[in-house]
Amino acid sequence: PTNGNCSKCTKTAQDCSTDGTRYKLDSCASGYQVSGNSCVVALAIGDILYSDMTTSSEIISSKTPIGVVFDVSRKLAIALKHSGSSLTWASSQVDIPGLTNYTSYNKTSDYNGKSNTSIIIAHGNSNGYDTPAADYCYNYSTTGTKKGDWYLPAGGELQLIYNNKTTLNNSLSKAGGTQLSDSYSYWSSSEFNNRGAWRLYFSNGLGFGHYKTSDFYVRPVLAF
């Protein structure tokens, strides 16, 4: 019901409480998940994200795809395309205040890509140096999104993308996007030290602290 809840609903919320009685919705049928007072189709890695922020496992021709889901719990998606060329992380090798220095590549420790991106750009602007990788992601936009919505993924987020590379590449192909390439390394927004930041090589999933003035590709990420 529009104004009610369902208790132990086994189908969609519309099928519950036909007598008008209101209950708490606490379960859904297989393939559905609880969302407020409704049962909605469960989100899955590899689902296609559209400009209206809905998702589906297959292409819906009447909608505009803008990304592919790689993190269900945090509701994160990667852009359909990466940067057209490799980019430097920064034009200066300085230790950025507000960013944690990760001295080893802990694959699950940093999921703060959104705030990292803002900190990187702000420090560059205030201190007169360029931050091309973060800038590219911050300025990226699509139908339904605007400047500042997308960001440079942190190390943990980038690792999740790598871990699900095969599933994501299948969906990227469906949506007309560019696949994640085994030939490329991708920048994260996680800092190593004053000289370096972490990048991930997509042929083997190895992370390295690399000079910020080096060139690697970037793939923007969106929280939806």
Side-chain angles (χ1 to χ4, degrees), residues 42-112:
L43 190 64
I45 292 172
D47 280 358
I48 296 161
L49 175 67
Y50 298 95
S51 60
D52 62 358
M53 300 302 145
T54 61
T55 61
S56 70
S57 59
E58 298 295 334
I59 286 290
I60 299 174
S61 59
S62 61
K63 296 189 176 188
T64 303
I66 63 169
V68 176
V69 177
F70 72 90
D71 188 331
V72 171
S73 62
R74 297 177 182 84
K75 295 185 70 175
L76 301 177
I78 59 168
L80 295 183
K81 300 182 184 298
H82 51 227
S83 55
S85 60
S86 55
L87 302 168
T88 61
W89 200 88
S91 61
S92 178
Q93 295 177 333
V94 297
D95 194 4
I96 299 178
L99 287 186
T100 300
N101 283 178
Y102 293 91
T103 56
S104 63
Y105 190 74
N106 185 326
K107 295 179 173 59
T108 61
S109 61
D110 190 4
Y111 293 89
N112 301 309

Short mmCIF file of all heavy atoms in Angstrom, two decimals, residues 42-112:
data_model
loop_
_atom_site.label_atom_id
_atom_site.label_comp_id
_atom_site.label_asym_id
_atom_site.label_seq_id
_atom_site.Cartn_x
_atom_site.Cartn_y
_atom_site.Cartn_z
N ALA A 42 16.46 -6.23 -6.48
CA ALA A 42 17.74 -6.17 -5.77
C ALA A 42 18.85 -5.65 -6.68
O ALA A 42 18.95 -6.04 -7.85
CB ALA A 42 18.09 -7.56 -5.24
N LEU A 43 19.68 -4.77 -6.13
CA LEU A 43 20.81 -4.22 -6.85
C LEU A 43 21.91 -5.26 -6.93
O LEU A 43 22.16 -5.99 -5.97
CB LEU A 43 21.31 -2.97 -6.12
CG LEU A 43 22.34 -2.09 -6.82
CD1 LEU A 43 21.75 -1.48 -8.08
CD2 LEU A 43 22.81 -1.00 -5.86
N ALA A 44 22.61 -5.32 -8.07
CA ALA A 44 23.67 -6.31 -8.25
C ALA A 44 24.86 -5.67 -8.95
O ALA A 44 24.71 -4.73 -9.74
CB ALA A 44 23.17 -7.50 -9.07
N ILE A 45 26.06 -6.18 -8.65
CA ILE A 45 27.25 -5.74 -9.35
C ILE A 45 27.09 -6.05 -10.83
O ILE A 45 26.68 -7.14 -11.22
CB ILE A 45 28.50 -6.45 -8.79
CG1 ILE A 45 28.77 -5.97 -7.37
CG2 ILE A 45 29.73 -6.20 -9.68
CD1 ILE A 45 29.85 -6.74 -6.65
N GLY A 46 27.39 -5.07 -11.66
CA GLY A 46 27.23 -5.22 -13.10
C GLY A 46 25.93 -4.66 -13.63
O GLY A 46 25.75 -4.57 -14.85
N ASP A 47 25.02 -4.25 -12.73
CA ASP A 47 23.80 -3.59 -13.19
C ASP A 47 24.15 -2.29 -13.88
O ASP A 47 25.12 -1.61 -13.52
CB ASP A 47 22.86 -3.31 -12.01
CG ASP A 47 22.07 -4.53 -11.58
OD1 ASP A 47 22.21 -5.58 -12.21
OD2 ASP A 47 21.31 -4.41 -10.59
N ILE A 48 23.34 -1.93 -14.85
CA ILE A 48 23.55 -0.71 -15.61
C ILE A 48 22.81 0.44 -14.93
O ILE A 48 21.64 0.30 -14.56
CB ILE A 48 23.06 -0.88 -17.06
CG1 ILE A 48 23.92 -1.96 -17.75
CG2 ILE A 48 23.13 0.44 -17.83
CD1 ILE A 48 23.31 -2.55 -18.99
N LEU A 49 23.51 1.55 -14.71
CA LEU A 49 22.92 2.74 -14.09
C LEU A 49 22.50 3.71 -15.18
O LEU A 49 23.25 3.99 -16.12
CB LEU A 49 23.95 3.41 -13.18
CG LEU A 49 23.54 4.73 -12.53
CD1 LEU A 49 22.40 4.52 -11.53
CD2 LEU A 49 24.73 5.41 -11.86
N TYR A 50 21.28 4.25 -15.03
CA TYR A 50 20.73 5.17 -16.01
C TYR A 50 20.71 6.60 -15.48
O TYR A 50 20.87 6.83 -14.27
CB TYR A 50 19.31 4.73 -16.41
CG TYR A 50 19.29 3.38 -17.06
CD1 TYR A 50 19.03 2.24 -16.31
CD2 TYR A 50 19.58 3.23 -18.41
CE1 TYR A 50 19.04 0.99 -16.90
CE2 TYR A 50 19.59 1.99 -19.01
CZ TYR A 50 19.32 0.87 -18.25
OH TYR A 50 19.34 -0.37 -18.83
N SER A 51 20.45 7.55 -16.37
CA SER A 51 20.48 8.97 -16.01
C SER A 51 19.42 9.35 -15.00
O SER A 51 19.54 10.37 -14.31
CB SER A 51 20.35 9.84 -17.26
OG SER A 51 19.12 9.57 -17.93
N ASP A 52 18.35 8.53 -14.87
CA ASP A 52 17.32 8.79 -13.85
C ASP A 52 17.63 8.08 -12.54
O ASP A 52 16.81 8.05 -11.63
CB ASP A 52 15.94 8.38 -14.36
CG ASP A 52 15.83 6.88 -14.66
OD1 ASP A 52 16.84 6.16 -14.51
OD2 ASP A 52 14.73 6.44 -15.05
N MET A 53 18.84 7.51 -12.43
CA MET A 53 19.36 6.84 -11.24
C MET A 53 18.65 5.52 -10.93
O MET A 53 18.72 5.01 -9.82
CB MET A 53 19.34 7.75 -10.00
CG MET A 53 20.18 9.00 -10.19
SD MET A 53 21.92 8.62 -10.56
CE MET A 53 22.33 9.96 -11.71
N THR A 54 17.99 4.96 -11.93
CA THR A 54 17.46 3.61 -11.82
C THR A 54 18.49 2.65 -12.40
O THR A 54 19.43 3.07 -13.09
CB THR A 54 16.12 3.45 -12.55
OG1 THR A 54 16.32 3.74 -13.96
CG2 THR A 54 15.08 4.39 -11.98
N THR A 55 18.33 1.36 -12.11
CA THR A 55 19.27 0.35 -12.60
C THR A 55 18.53 -0.84 -13.19
O THR A 55 17.36 -1.07 -12.89
CB THR A 55 20.18 -0.15 -11.46
OG1 THR A 55 19.37 -0.75 -10.44
CG2 THR A 55 21.01 0.98 -10.87
N SER A 56 19.24 -1.59 -14.00
CA SER A 56 18.68 -2.85 -14.53
C SER A 56 19.84 -3.75 -14.94
O SER A 56 20.95 -3.28 -15.17
CB SER A 56 17.76 -2.59 -15.73
OG SER A 56 18.52 -2.16 -16.85
N SER A 57 19.56 -5.04 -15.03
CA SER A 57 20.61 -5.98 -15.42
C SER A 57 20.82 -5.99 -16.93
O SER A 57 21.88 -6.40 -17.41
CB SER A 57 20.26 -7.39 -14.94
OG SER A 57 19.02 -7.80 -15.48
N GLU A 58 19.82 -5.55 -17.68
CA GLU A 58 19.92 -5.50 -19.14
C GLU A 58 19.57 -4.09 -19.61
O GLU A 58 18.96 -3.30 -18.88
CB GLU A 58 18.97 -6.51 -19.79
CG GLU A 58 19.27 -7.96 -19.44
CD GLU A 58 20.62 -8.45 -19.97
OE1 GLU A 58 21.09 -7.88 -20.99
OE2 GLU A 58 21.18 -9.38 -19.38
N ILE A 59 19.95 -3.77 -20.82
CA ILE A 59 19.71 -2.45 -21.37
C ILE A 59 18.21 -2.20 -21.54
O ILE A 59 17.48 -3.04 -22.06
CB ILE A 59 20.42 -2.29 -22.73
CG1 ILE A 59 21.92 -2.13 -22.53
CG2 ILE A 59 19.87 -1.10 -23.50
CD1 ILE A 59 22.32 -0.81 -21.90
N ILE A 60 17.77 -1.02 -21.09
CA ILE A 60 16.41 -0.54 -21.34
C ILE A 60 16.53 0.53 -22.42
O ILE A 60 17.12 1.60 -22.18
CB ILE A 60 15.77 0.03 -20.06
CG1 ILE A 60 15.68 -1.07 -18.99
CG2 ILE A 60 14.39 0.60 -20.36
CD1 ILE A 60 15.21 -0.57 -17.64
N SER A 61 16.01 0.27 -23.59
CA SER A 61 16.26 1.12 -24.76
C SER A 61 15.73 2.54 -24.60
O SER A 61 16.24 3.47 -25.23
CB SER A 61 15.66 0.48 -26.01
OG SER A 61 14.26 0.31 -25.86
N SER A 62 14.72 2.72 -23.76
CA SER A 62 14.12 4.05 -23.59
C SER A 62 14.89 4.92 -22.60
O SER A 62 14.54 6.08 -22.40
CB SER A 62 12.67 3.91 -23.12
OG SER A 62 12.61 3.24 -21.86
N LYS A 63 15.94 4.37 -21.96
CA LYS A 63 16.69 5.11 -20.96
C LYS A 63 18.13 5.32 -21.42
O LYS A 63 18.64 4.63 -22.29
CB LYS A 63 16.67 4.37 -19.62
CG LYS A 63 15.27 4.27 -19.01
CD LYS A 63 15.35 3.73 -17.59
CE LYS A 63 13.96 3.71 -16.95
NZ LYS A 63 14.03 3.37 -15.51
N THR A 64 18.80 6.28 -20.76
CA THR A 64 20.18 6.63 -21.11
C THR A 64 21.15 6.05 -20.08
O THR A 64 21.17 6.49 -18.93
CB THR A 64 20.37 8.16 -21.15
OG1 THR A 64 19.45 8.72 -22.08
CG2 THR A 64 21.79 8.52 -21.53
N PRO A 65 21.97 5.05 -20.46
CA PRO A 65 22.95 4.49 -19.51
C PRO A 65 24.08 5.47 -19.26
O PRO A 65 24.56 6.14 -20.19
CB PRO A 65 23.43 3.23 -20.23
CG PRO A 65 23.21 3.49 -21.67
CD PRO A 65 22.00 4.38 -21.76
N ILE A 66 24.52 5.56 -18.00
CA ILE A 66 25.64 6.45 -17.67
C ILE A 66 26.75 5.75 -16.89
O ILE A 66 27.83 6.32 -16.70
CB ILE A 66 25.15 7.67 -16.86
CG1 ILE A 66 24.56 7.25 -15.51
CG2 ILE A 66 24.15 8.50 -17.67
CD1 ILE A 66 24.30 8.42 -14.57
N GLY A 67 26.50 4.53 -16.41
CA GLY A 67 27.52 3.85 -15.63
C GLY A 67 27.16 2.41 -15.35
O GLY A 67 26.12 1.92 -15.80
N VAL A 68 28.04 1.74 -14.61
CA VAL A 68 27.84 0.34 -14.24
C VAL A 68 28.15 0.18 -12.74
O VAL A 68 29.19 0.67 -12.27
CB VAL A 68 28.74 -0.60 -15.07
CG1 VAL A 68 28.59 -2.05 -14.59
CG2 VAL A 68 28.40 -0.51 -16.55
N VAL A 69 27.27 -0.49 -12.02
CA VAL A 69 27.39 -0.65 -10.57
C VAL A 69 28.55 -1.59 -10.22
O VAL A 69 28.65 -2.68 -10.77
CB VAL A 69 26.08 -1.21 -9.98
CG1 VAL A 69 26.23 -1.46 -8.47
CG2 VAL A 69 24.91 -0.27 -10.26
N PHE A 70 29.42 -1.14 -9.28
CA PHE A 70 30.50 -2.02 -8.83
C PHE A 70 30.48 -2.25 -7.32
O PHE A 70 31.17 -3.12 -6.81
CB PHE A 70 31.87 -1.49 -9.25
CG PHE A 70 32.35 -0.28 -8.51
CD1 PHE A 70 33.10 -0.40 -7.34
CD2 PHE A 70 32.05 0.99 -8.96
CE1 PHE A 70 33.55 0.72 -6.66
CE2 PHE A 70 32.49 2.12 -8.29
CZ PHE A 70 33.24 1.98 -7.13
N ASP A 71 29.69 -1.47 -6.58
CA ASP A 71 29.59 -1.63 -5.13
C ASP A 71 28.12 -1.48 -4.75
O ASP A 71 27.55 -0.39 -4.87
CB ASP A 71 30.45 -0.57 -4.43
CG ASP A 71 30.55 -0.79 -2.92
OD1 ASP A 71 29.59 -1.33 -2.34
OD2 ASP A 71 31.57 -0.38 -2.33
N VAL A 72 27.53 -2.58 -4.29
CA VAL A 72 26.10 -2.59 -3.96
C VAL A 72 25.82 -1.89 -2.65
O VAL A 72 24.90 -1.09 -2.54
CB VAL A 72 25.58 -4.04 -3.93
CG1 VAL A 72 24.17 -4.11 -3.37
CG2 VAL A 72 25.63 -4.66 -5.32
N SER A 73 26.62 -2.18 -1.61
CA SER A 73 26.34 -1.63 -0.28
C SER A 73 26.50 -0.12 -0.25
O SER A 73 25.73 0.59 0.43
CB SER A 73 27.24 -2.28 0.76
OG SER A 73 28.60 -2.02 0.50
N ARG A 74 27.48 0.41 -0.96
CA ARG A 74 27.71 1.85 -0.98
C ARG A 74 27.01 2.53 -2.16
O ARG A 74 27.03 3.76 -2.27
CB ARG A 74 29.21 2.15 -1.04
CG ARG A 74 29.99 1.65 0.17
CD ARG A 74 31.47 1.92 0.01
NE ARG A 74 32.24 1.42 1.14
CZ ARG A 74 32.66 0.17 1.26
NH1 ARG A 74 32.40 -0.72 0.31
NH2 ARG A 74 33.36 -0.21 2.32
N LYS A 75 26.41 1.75 -3.06
CA LYS A 75 25.73 2.25 -4.26
C LYS A 75 26.67 3.13 -5.08
O LYS A 75 26.47 4.33 -5.24
CB LYS A 75 24.45 3.00 -3.90
CG LYS A 75 23.39 2.11 -3.26
CD LYS A 75 22.08 2.84 -3.03
CE LYS A 75 21.37 3.14 -4.33
NZ LYS A 75 20.04 3.76 -4.12
N LEU A 76 27.72 2.49 -5.62
CA LEU A 76 28.72 3.16 -6.42
C LEU A 76 28.75 2.59 -7.83
O LEU A 76 28.57 1.38 -8.02
CB LEU A 76 30.11 3.02 -5.80
CG LEU A 76 30.28 3.55 -4.37
CD1 LEU A 76 31.69 3.26 -3.87
CD2 LEU A 76 29.99 5.04 -4.30
N ALA A 77 29.00 3.44 -8.81
CA ALA A 77 29.07 3.00 -10.21
C ALA A 77 30.28 3.65 -10.87
O ALA A 77 30.68 4.77 -10.52
CB ALA A 77 27.80 3.38 -10.95
N ILE A 78 30.85 2.96 -11.84
CA ILE A 78 31.92 3.54 -12.65
C ILE A 78 31.33 4.15 -13.91
O ILE A 78 30.28 3.75 -14.39
CB ILE A 78 32.99 2.49 -13.04
CG1 ILE A 78 32.37 1.33 -13.83
CG2 ILE A 78 33.74 2.00 -11.83
CD1 ILE A 78 33.39 0.42 -14.47
N ALA A 79 32.02 5.14 -14.44
CA ALA A 79 31.63 5.78 -15.69
C ALA A 79 31.78 4.79 -16.84
O ALA A 79 32.55 3.83 -16.77
CB ALA A 79 32.47 7.02 -15.93
N LEU A 80 31.06 5.05 -17.92
CA LEU A 80 31.13 4.17 -19.09
C LEU A 80 32.47 4.26 -19.80
O LEU A 80 32.86 3.33 -20.50
CB LEU A 80 30.01 4.51 -20.06
CG LEU A 80 28.58 4.27 -19.57
CD1 LEU A 80 27.58 4.59 -20.68
CD2 LEU A 80 28.40 2.83 -19.09
N LYS A 81 33.17 5.36 -19.62
CA LYS A 81 34.44 5.55 -20.32
C LYS A 81 35.51 6.05 -19.35
O LYS A 81 35.20 6.68 -18.34
CB LYS A 81 34.28 6.55 -21.47
CG LYS A 81 33.25 6.10 -22.52
CD LYS A 81 33.17 7.09 -23.66
CE LYS A 81 32.09 6.69 -24.66
NZ LYS A 81 32.35 5.38 -25.29
N HIS A 82 36.77 5.74 -19.69
CA HIS A 82 37.86 6.33 -18.91
C HIS A 82 38.41 7.54 -19.65
O HIS A 82 37.92 7.89 -20.73
CB HIS A 82 38.97 5.31 -18.62
CG HIS A 82 39.47 4.57 -19.82
ND1 HIS A 82 39.63 3.21 -19.85
CD2 HIS A 82 39.84 4.99 -21.05
CE1 HIS A 82 40.09 2.83 -21.01
NE2 HIS A 82 40.24 3.89 -21.76
N SER A 83 39.38 8.20 -19.07
CA SER A 83 39.98 9.37 -19.71
C SER A 83 40.51 9.00 -21.08
O SER A 83 41.01 7.90 -21.30
CB SER A 83 41.10 9.94 -18.84
OG SER A 83 42.06 8.93 -18.55
N GLY A 84 40.41 9.94 -22.02
CA GLY A 84 40.84 9.66 -23.39
C GLY A 84 42.33 9.50 -23.53
O GLY A 84 42.82 8.97 -24.52
N SER A 85 43.07 9.96 -22.54
CA SER A 85 44.53 9.81 -22.53
C SER A 85 44.98 9.66 -21.08
O SER A 85 44.21 9.89 -20.15
CB SER A 85 45.20 11.04 -23.16
OG SER A 85 44.88 12.22 -22.45
N SER A 86 46.23 9.25 -20.90
CA SER A 86 46.75 9.12 -19.54
C SER A 86 47.02 10.51 -18.97
O SER A 86 47.33 11.46 -19.70
CB SER A 86 48.04 8.28 -19.54
OG SER A 86 48.99 8.82 -20.44
N LEU A 87 46.89 10.63 -17.64
CA LEU A 87 46.99 11.92 -16.98
C LEU A 87 47.91 11.82 -15.77
O LEU A 87 48.01 10.76 -15.14
CB LEU A 87 45.61 12.39 -16.49
CG LEU A 87 44.51 12.54 -17.56
CD1 LEU A 87 43.15 12.72 -16.89
CD2 LEU A 87 44.82 13.73 -18.45
N THR A 88 48.54 12.92 -15.42
CA THR A 88 49.32 12.95 -14.19
C THR A 88 48.38 13.12 -13.00
O THR A 88 47.27 13.63 -13.13
CB THR A 88 50.33 14.11 -14.20
OG1 THR A 88 49.63 15.35 -14.30
CG2 THR A 88 51.31 13.97 -15.35
N TRP A 89 48.83 12.67 -11.84
CA TRP A 89 48.07 12.84 -10.60
C TRP A 89 48.18 14.28 -10.12
O TRP A 89 47.20 14.87 -9.67
CB TRP A 89 48.61 11.88 -9.55
CG TRP A 89 47.71 11.56 -8.40
CD1 TRP A 89 46.77 10.56 -8.35
CD2 TRP A 89 47.68 12.20 -7.11
NE1 TRP A 89 46.17 10.53 -7.11
CE2 TRP A 89 46.71 11.53 -6.33
CE3 TRP A 89 48.39 13.25 -6.55
CZ2 TRP A 89 46.42 11.88 -5.02
CZ3 TRP A 89 48.12 13.63 -5.23
CH2 TRP A 89 47.13 12.95 -4.49
N ALA A 90 49.39 14.85 -10.23
CA ALA A 90 49.64 16.24 -9.87
C ALA A 90 50.91 16.71 -10.55
O ALA A 90 51.77 15.90 -10.91
CB ALA A 90 49.77 16.39 -8.35
N SER A 91 51.01 18.02 -10.74
CA SER A 91 52.20 18.58 -11.37
C SER A 91 53.30 18.88 -10.36
O SER A 91 54.40 19.28 -10.73
CB SER A 91 51.85 19.85 -12.13
OG SER A 91 51.34 20.85 -11.25
N SER A 92 52.99 18.71 -9.07
CA SER A 92 53.97 18.96 -8.01
C SER A 92 53.96 17.81 -7.02
O SER A 92 52.91 17.21 -6.76
CB SER A 92 53.63 20.27 -7.29
OG SER A 92 54.53 20.52 -6.23
N GLN A 93 55.11 17.47 -6.49
CA GLN A 93 55.22 16.38 -5.53
C GLN A 93 55.24 16.96 -4.12
O GLN A 93 56.29 17.23 -3.54
CB GLN A 93 56.46 15.54 -5.82
CG GLN A 93 56.36 14.83 -7.17
CD GLN A 93 57.61 14.05 -7.52
OE1 GLN A 93 58.70 14.37 -7.08
NE2 GLN A 93 57.44 13.03 -8.33
N VAL A 94 54.03 17.17 -3.60
CA VAL A 94 53.88 17.73 -2.25
C VAL A 94 52.97 16.81 -1.44
O VAL A 94 52.09 16.14 -1.99
CB VAL A 94 53.29 19.15 -2.28
CG1 VAL A 94 54.24 20.10 -3.01
CG2 VAL A 94 51.92 19.17 -2.94
N ASP A 95 53.19 16.78 -0.14
CA ASP A 95 52.34 16.01 0.76
C ASP A 95 51.09 16.84 1.06
O ASP A 95 51.19 17.94 1.58
CB ASP A 95 53.10 15.69 2.04
CG ASP A 95 52.41 14.62 2.87
OD1 ASP A 95 51.39 14.08 2.41
OD2 ASP A 95 52.90 14.35 3.98
N ILE A 96 49.91 16.33 0.71
CA ILE A 96 48.69 17.11 0.82
C ILE A 96 48.08 16.95 2.21
O ILE A 96 47.71 15.84 2.62
CB ILE A 96 47.67 16.67 -0.24
CG1 ILE A 96 48.26 16.91 -1.64
CG2 ILE A 96 46.36 17.43 -0.08
CD1 ILE A 96 47.35 16.47 -2.77
N PRO A 97 47.94 18.03 2.96
CA PRO A 97 47.31 17.96 4.28
C PRO A 97 45.86 17.47 4.14
O PRO A 97 45.15 17.87 3.22
CB PRO A 97 47.35 19.41 4.78
CG PRO A 97 48.44 20.05 3.99
CD PRO A 97 48.42 19.39 2.65
N GLY A 98 45.45 16.61 5.05
CA GLY A 98 44.08 16.08 5.01
C GLY A 98 43.96 14.74 4.32
O GLY A 98 42.92 14.09 4.42
N LEU A 99 45.02 14.32 3.61
CA LEU A 99 45.04 13.00 2.99
C LEU A 99 45.92 12.07 3.82
O LEU A 99 47.05 12.43 4.18
CB LEU A 99 45.58 13.05 1.56
CG LEU A 99 44.71 13.66 0.48
CD1 LEU A 99 45.38 13.47 -0.88
CD2 LEU A 99 43.31 13.04 0.46
N THR A 100 45.41 10.87 4.11
CA THR A 100 46.20 9.86 4.81
C THR A 100 47.29 9.33 3.89
O THR A 100 47.04 9.06 2.71
CB THR A 100 45.31 8.70 5.28
OG1 THR A 100 44.32 9.20 6.18
CG2 THR A 100 46.12 7.62 5.97
N ASN A 101 48.51 9.18 4.40
CA ASN A 101 49.58 8.54 3.63
C ASN A 101 49.53 7.03 3.88
O ASN A 101 49.71 6.57 5.01
CB ASN A 101 50.94 9.08 4.07
CG ASN A 101 51.26 10.45 3.50
OD1 ASN A 101 52.30 11.03 3.80
ND2 ASN A 101 50.37 11.00 2.69
N TYR A 102 49.25 6.29 2.83
CA TYR A 102 49.21 4.83 2.93
C TYR A 102 50.56 4.30 2.47
O TYR A 102 50.88 4.32 1.28
CB TYR A 102 48.08 4.27 2.08
CG TYR A 102 46.71 4.64 2.61
CD1 TYR A 102 46.05 5.79 2.18
CD2 TYR A 102 46.08 3.84 3.56
CE1 TYR A 102 44.81 6.13 2.69
CE2 TYR A 102 44.84 4.18 4.07
CZ TYR A 102 44.21 5.32 3.63
OH TYR A 102 42.99 5.67 4.14
N THR A 103 51.35 3.81 3.41
CA THR A 103 52.70 3.36 3.09
C THR A 103 52.74 1.95 2.52
O THR A 103 53.75 1.50 2.01
CB THR A 103 53.60 3.43 4.34
OG1 THR A 103 53.00 2.66 5.39
CG2 THR A 103 53.76 4.86 4.80
N SER A 104 51.61 1.23 2.62
CA SER A 104 51.48 -0.05 1.93
C SER A 104 50.10 -0.09 1.31
O SER A 104 49.18 0.58 1.78
CB SER A 104 51.67 -1.24 2.88
OG SER A 104 50.65 -1.24 3.86
N TYR A 105 49.95 -0.86 0.24
CA TYR A 105 48.68 -0.85 -0.47
C TYR A 105 47.69 -1.77 0.24
O TYR A 105 47.58 -2.95 -0.05
CB TYR A 105 48.86 -1.28 -1.92
CG TYR A 105 47.62 -1.06 -2.75
CD1 TYR A 105 47.24 0.22 -3.13
CD2 TYR A 105 46.81 -2.12 -3.12
CE1 TYR A 105 46.09 0.45 -3.87
CE2 TYR A 105 45.66 -1.92 -3.87
CZ TYR A 105 45.31 -0.63 -4.24
OH TYR A 105 44.17 -0.41 -4.98
N ASN A 106 46.97 -1.19 1.20
CA ASN A 106 45.91 -1.93 1.89
C ASN A 106 44.66 -1.86 1.03
O ASN A 106 44.07 -0.80 0.86
CB ASN A 106 45.66 -1.30 3.26
CG ASN A 106 44.66 -2.10 4.07
OD1 ASN A 106 43.74 -2.69 3.53
ND2 ASN A 106 44.86 -2.11 5.37
N LYS A 107 44.25 -3.00 0.51
CA LYS A 107 43.21 -3.02 -0.51
C LYS A 107 41.83 -2.62 0.01
O LYS A 107 40.92 -2.41 -0.77
CB LYS A 107 43.15 -4.40 -1.16
CG LYS A 107 44.41 -4.76 -1.95
CD LYS A 107 44.29 -6.14 -2.54
CE LYS A 107 45.47 -6.46 -3.46
NZ LYS A 107 46.76 -6.38 -2.79
N THR A 108 41.65 -2.55 1.32
CA THR A 108 40.31 -2.25 1.83
C THR A 108 40.29 -1.02 2.73
O THR A 108 39.27 -0.72 3.34
CB THR A 108 39.76 -3.45 2.64
OG1 THR A 108 40.63 -3.70 3.74
CG2 THR A 108 39.66 -4.68 1.78
N SER A 109 41.40 -0.30 2.83
CA SER A 109 41.50 0.73 3.86
C SER A 109 40.93 2.09 3.47
O SER A 109 40.56 2.87 4.34
CB SER A 109 42.95 0.90 4.28
OG SER A 109 43.73 1.31 3.18
N ASP A 110 40.90 2.42 2.20
CA ASP A 110 40.48 3.76 1.81
C ASP A 110 39.31 3.71 0.83
O ASP A 110 39.46 3.27 -0.30
CB ASP A 110 41.66 4.52 1.18
CG ASP A 110 41.36 6.00 0.97
OD1 ASP A 110 40.27 6.45 1.37
OD2 ASP A 110 42.22 6.70 0.39
N TYR A 111 38.16 4.17 1.30
CA TYR A 111 36.96 4.28 0.46
C TYR A 111 36.47 5.73 0.44
O TYR A 111 35.28 5.98 0.26
CB TYR A 111 35.85 3.37 0.99
CG TYR A 111 36.20 1.89 0.86
CD1 TYR A 111 36.89 1.24 1.87
CD2 TYR A 111 35.86 1.18 -0.28
CE1 TYR A 111 37.23 -0.10 1.75
CE2 TYR A 111 36.20 -0.16 -0.41
CZ TYR A 111 36.88 -0.79 0.61
OH TYR A 111 37.22 -2.11 0.48
N ASN A 112 37.39 6.66 0.60
CA ASN A 112 37.04 8.07 0.71
C ASN A 112 37.34 8.85 -0.56
O ASN A 112 37.80 9.99 -0.51
CB ASN A 112 37.79 8.69 1.90
CG ASN A 112 37.46 8.01 3.21
OD1 ASN A 112 36.30 7.84 3.54
ND2 ASN A 112 38.49 7.61 3.94
#
